[in-house]
Amino acid sequence: MTAQQQTRPHAAAKPVRWAADVVATMREGARVRLDYSAQSLWRVDRMIEEIRREGAPAEAVRDVLRGFGAYAGEVIVRQTGAEWWATGGDHWIRTPDGRLWDPVEEARRCFGGHGSLRLLCQDAIAGTIAGTEPRHRGHGH
């Protein structure tokens, strides 16, 4: 067994649990069904926006943001075959094209009004489908 195979389950264990916890909490508390689809991230972005508008202090919602980020990461893992990695307590994913993504940090950015888990997932999936070739989406360049 390689070192990679040994660290993979350990790296994935926490974010997989955080994602499952947020799915259960949303289903039971908010009656929102999260199905690990890319489309479900629209709903997650809206929920983070609602929490922000309610004026919740960042410290009070830290765990829920971590759960939403882990959920988005799991969506990317399931859509692309990406893998969770962990370094010094931080969890991030690596897509098959070699790019690194930090969905937990992106959830925090969303809460600050500067991010989108839906767009992060869209970029990760698009890059994986396209391979290493850059995709030109006509942003006026």
Side-chain angles (χ1 to χ4, degrees):
M1 192 182 325
T2 68
Q4 230 178 25
Q5 289 168 319
Q6 290 171 338
T7 59
R8 161 64 186 147
H10 177 70
K14 285 183 181 177
V16 167
R17 188 174 68 243
W18 297 332
D21 286 349
V22 87
V23 168
T25 300
M26 290 299 107
R27 185 178 60 237
E28 293 159 16
R31 296 282 183 257
V32 172
R33 186 169 173 273
L34 299 177
D35 60 3
Y36 292 96
S37 68
Q39 293 78 14
S40 69
L41 293 175
W42 281 94
R43 209 169 296 136
V44 173
D45 276 350
R46 281 199 308 270
M47 286 188 282
I48 293 173
E49 174 63 24
E50 286 172 23
I51 293 168
R52 184 167 67 88
R53 277 203 311 261
E54 289 168 5
E59 190 56 36
V61 295
R62 188 187 56 169
D63 288 350
V64 96
L65 292 174
R66 183 184 67 189
F68 282 141
Y71 173 78
E74 269 301 289
V75 170
I76 295 168
V77 165
R78 293 174 186 210
Q79 299 278 330
T80 68
E83 287 194 307
W84 280 103
W85 294 83
T87 309
D90 292 328
H91 290 79
W92 38 275
I93 56 175
R94 182 176 183 178
T95 46
D97 60 6
R99 290 185 299 164
L100 305 178
W101 306 87
D102 188 343
V104 174
E105 179 58 30
E106 189 68 14
R108 292 185 194 117
R109 287 175 42 78
C110 279
F111 182 70
H114 308 291
S116 167
L117 293 172
R118 178 183 59 83
L119 293 177
L120 179 84
C121 180
Q122 187 177 309
D123 288 349
I125 291 170
T128 303
I129 292 168
T132 54
E133 292 297 312
R135 290 189 61 178
H136 300 286
R137 292 192 234 174
H139 291 303
H141 299 296

